[in-house]
Amino acid sequence: MKKAIVSILITAIVSNAVFAQLWTKGALEQSDWNLSLKKMKVGDTLEKEYYPCFGGKYDAVLASSWLPAEGNPPRTLMANEKDENGNSWDESEIDWANKNRYDSWTEMYGPGKCFDGKTDTAWCEGKSDDGIGEVVIAWVDVKRPVRIWSGFGKSEKLWKENNRPKDIKVFVIQGEVIGHSVNSPNYKMKVVGEKTLTLKDVNGWQKLNLDEYKEIDSEEFKKLDPYELSQSGTFLAIKILSVYPGTKYKDTLISEVSN
């Protein structure tokens, strides 16, 4: 019976991800910057609701700015031509596939990159200075141990060349389920706590001290899947207060915030 229940949950998660591909992400544009995040305080309900199923422009609620994508957008595919992942699209799907490829490219430094489970991708603030006061929100369970990879973890060279957050203000956010999209909850987000922390300047994981919120008696870090995150319904916002300066660039990045 336990195996059957686990199988059903996994099938639901996978089916949800595939089903979500039927919708276009929408490109991340600077006009979508959620500037109101820079003024958030405990007791606030965020102006914009979060639809976690789709990504792209639907993630725009999660950051006050982000760096535009670098390089050239992905090449336009022809019908029945395979992409980098081996997918082949027929004539009825090719326009959708090309638009989603472009939209995914615009997410290169978008907010979703700081909780995608990859330390070689990162959210980068989009300001021309050090990004003091900029905010990004990650989807985590604040009742479990939470960790952060500060800076650009793609390589030691890039980590040193770019800024890393030093002093940060952490906001704990509780999501209220207001509906569902493709079997995934949609959230209204309320700020329920805040704390100022100083990060170490290390190219690797470090714990975020949120012990007053932690209810699970464990020190084990574990990347949660979408189903587990939907059960928690909590988020963590990071506001940059000061930085460790990079040797070459003024961009400030966070590679990952995760359980």
Side-chain angles (χ1 to χ4, degrees), residues 153-207:
K154 189 171 184 179
S155 70
E156 185 71 18
K157 179 176 182 290
L158 288 172
W159 183 84
K160 290 179 179 178
E161 289 180 343
N162 289 277
N163 291 350
R164 292 84 60 190
K166 180 181 179 181
D167 296 302
I168 60 173
K169 182 169 284 188
V170 176
F171 296 89
V172 176
I173 296 173
Q174 180 65 57
E176 175 191 351
V177 177
I178 56 171
H180 290 75
S181 296
V182 197
N183 298 323
S184 177
N186 304 328
Y187 295 100
K188 182 181 292 184
M189 305 169 78
K190 183 175 182 178
V191 184
V192 297
E194 68 174 58
K195 187 173 186 177
T196 300
L197 299 171
T198 298
L199 299 176
K200 300 174 184 177
D201 195 23
V202 294
N203 184 19
W205 291 108
Q206 56 185 298
K207 180 182 177 181

